[in-house]
Amino acid sequence: MQKPEILYRGIHLSYDELKNFNFDDDLVVPYQPIINENGQETVLDGNEYGVYMTDNLQMVKDVYGNAHGPGTNLYPNFNFNGHQIAIADVGIVYEINTDNLDIHKPRITSLLSSVYNNGFKGDEWITQSPIPFNNFRILRIIIGEDVLHDRQEIKITDDLGRLKEEIIKILDERKFRLQLLAQELFKLPRFRLNMINSDDINLYRDIFGAGGYKYLKASQIDLTDFHGILKYISYKIYQNNPDTIDYSTLNYLKRLERNLSKVKEDEKLDMFNELIKHDLEQISRKKEELLSNSNNKQIDTLHFDNRKMALEKILSYLDEVYKTQMANDRKVY
């Protein structure tokens, strides 16, 4: 078979591995060969030892150069409903020029022949020697997702040293935010941790993720659309008592946002206002019904009182938005 001119290789690195990794180093197998029962040098899975490549770029992007592993768990003895607090891995995809490289098809064990090239079309290739820096270029770098952050593709630049510093900076910032999340989760009892669902995680992203309520200032929030106004109100609810998060009210606001998702943008704010007032009336009515049926017995109305107070707070923050918008309108004139 004719030697291909271009091949691809993918690797993924943990947070700690990245610190000792240089993007301009030659590509090598990161460990010494394992000798099998026949005296042959092998990699960990038993196949021939060497630096592996493939002619299928998509396989590299989807598998070896992907960052879909568990990452580096910051708290190995802690989890919440099956989730871990972990720093994501970094995936790197290389394009390799095979000029001056001694490459050949690798020796594959019979047990692994069925998953040759990870089941993708195309062929694997191997070289016993390091692949020099001049023979490759980086096509893609991604940071995987974690509980607070989406997967992120990094823009490739020629200054590879600075590029590494940028990626480590991003990971360090992620680590800091994940640690803040952990401090909050450590407060919760085990039964509550076991109940955390995707809605709760989205709320934690709003609070502790990049640009979350934890770090914002009110002046940074754009109040020109409904999403920004809802963000401002949620921010105010959180900042009102950040040490004891009002999960109930914040989740209530997110439910309202979902319920209004199909409403026209210019009608959302009025509808939001009406729904809050309607719920406030409902709570007052239910409280009155409870008291009227109490037969003069002492009744605990704390639940109704707390919900009424929360809704009134939302309306007061909404009033702040209106006043801010009016002040801004006056500045225009």
Side-chain angles (χ1 to χ4, degrees), residues 25-70:
D25 282 348
D26 296 347
L27 298 182
V28 298
V29 184
Y31 54 86
Q32 294 300 308
I34 299 167
I35 308 301
N36 67 12
E37 64 277 9
N38 298 317
Q40 298 168 320
E41 294 185 343
T42 73
V43 289
L44 294 174
D45 61 11
N47 290 330
E48 183 178 355
Y49 184 80
V51 182
Y52 277 76
M53 297 160 283
T54 177
D55 55 19
N56 190 323
L57 175 59
Q58 196 59 49
M59 188 276 278
V60 170
K61 288 183 174 180
D62 290 350
V63 185
Y64 293 116
N66 207 346
H68 46 50

Side-chain angles (χ1 to χ4, degrees), residues 16-281:
D16 290 330
E17 288 171 336
L18 180 66
K19 293 178 181 178
N20 297 316
F21 182 85
N22 294 314
F23 289 120
D24 54 1
D25 282 348
D26 296 347
L27 298 182
V28 298
V29 184
Y31 54 86
Q32 294 300 308
I34 299 167
I35 308 301
N36 67 12
E37 64 277 9
N38 298 317
Q40 298 168 320
E41 294 185 343
T42 73
V43 289
L44 294 174
D45 61 11
N47 290 330
E48 183 178 355
Y49 184 80
V51 182
Y52 277 76
M53 297 160 283
T54 177
D55 55 19
N56 190 323
L57 175 59
Q58 196 59 49
M59 188 276 278
V60 170
K61 288 183 174 180
D62 290 350
V63 185
Y64 293 116
N66 207 346
H68 46 50
T72 301
N73 192 349
L74 293 175
Y75 306 95
N77 298 320
F78 178 80
N79 71 83
F80 55 102
N81 202 10
H83 296 281
Q84 297 177 336
I85 300 178
I87 308 175
D89 290 343
V90 175
I92 307 173
V93 173
Y94 296 96
E95 179 185 87
I96 298 167
N97 185 328
T98 63
D99 283 350
N100 303 316
L101 289 184
D102 182 11
I103 64 173
H104 61 274
K105 295 287 193 65
R107 182 185 68 253
I108 304 294
T109 67
S110 57
L111 290 175
L112 294 172
S113 59
S114 61
V115 290
Y116 176 74
N117 211 30
N118 277 281
F120 286 72
K121 292 180 179 178
D123 289 299
E124 295 184 25
W125 296 80
I126 190 173
T127 179
Q128 304 296 337
S129 304
I131 300 175
F133 172 68
N134 290 335
N135 276 72
F136 66 80
R137 69 185 182 99
I138 298 174
L139 289 184
R140 188 189 74 180
I141 299 176
I142 59 165
I143 302 175
E145 68 174 338
D146 60 51
V147 71
L148 285 181
H149 308 93
D150 290 330
R151 170 188 172 108
Q152 180 178 357
E153 184 163 349
I154 304 299
K155 183 178 179 180
I156 309 297
T157 62
D158 292 334
D159 190 338
L160 297 181
R162 185 171 297 236
L163 183 62
K164 175 183 172 180
E165 291 175 2
E166 176 191 343
I167 296 169
I168 290 177
K169 182 174 181 287
I170 293 171
L171 291 175
D172 285 340
E173 290 172 350
R174 284 192 178 198
K175 181 180 180 181
F176 172 74
R177 292 190 284 264
L178 289 166
Q179 288 170 329
L180 291 178
L181 170 63
Q183 291 173 18
E184 175 60 29
L185 294 179
F186 291 160
K187 300 176 187 176
L188 302 181
R190 173 47 58 182
F191 81 88
R192 177 70 183 89
L193 291 170
N194 290 337
M195 294 171 60
I196 289 176
N197 56 32
S198 58
D199 288 340
D200 295 318
I201 290 174
N202 286 333
L203 179 56
Y204 285 129
R205 284 186 167 214
D206 289 343
I207 297 171
F208 297 105
Y213 310 145
K214 178 81 175 174
Y215 329 104
L216 273 178
K217 293 181 180 178
S219 59
Q220 296 173 308
I221 302 175
D222 181 4
L223 300 179
T224 59
D225 61 19
F226 176 70
H227 175 75
I229 291 170
L230 201 60
K231 184 175 184 178
Y232 175 83
I233 294 171
S234 299
Y235 161 82
K236 295 288 282 188
I237 294 292
Y238 168 74
Q239 290 291 350
N240 186 54
N241 191 355
D243 294 327
T244 305
I245 296 175
D246 187 351
Y247 291 103
S248 177
T249 304
L250 290 171
N251 277 316
Y252 169 77
L253 289 169
K254 290 192 79 67
R255 286 196 299 274
L256 282 185
E257 184 176 26
R258 286 197 299 271
N259 293 340
L260 293 170
S261 61
K262 295 183 179 179
V263 176
K264 291 180 180 178
E265 192 63 32
D266 59 355
E267 297 176 0
K268 283 184 178 181
L269 190 56
D270 288 340
M271 182 70 73
F272 174 75
N273 199 352
E274 289 176 17
L275 289 174
I276 299 294
K277 290 179 178 178
H278 174 267
D279 288 348
L280 190 55
E281 290 173 2

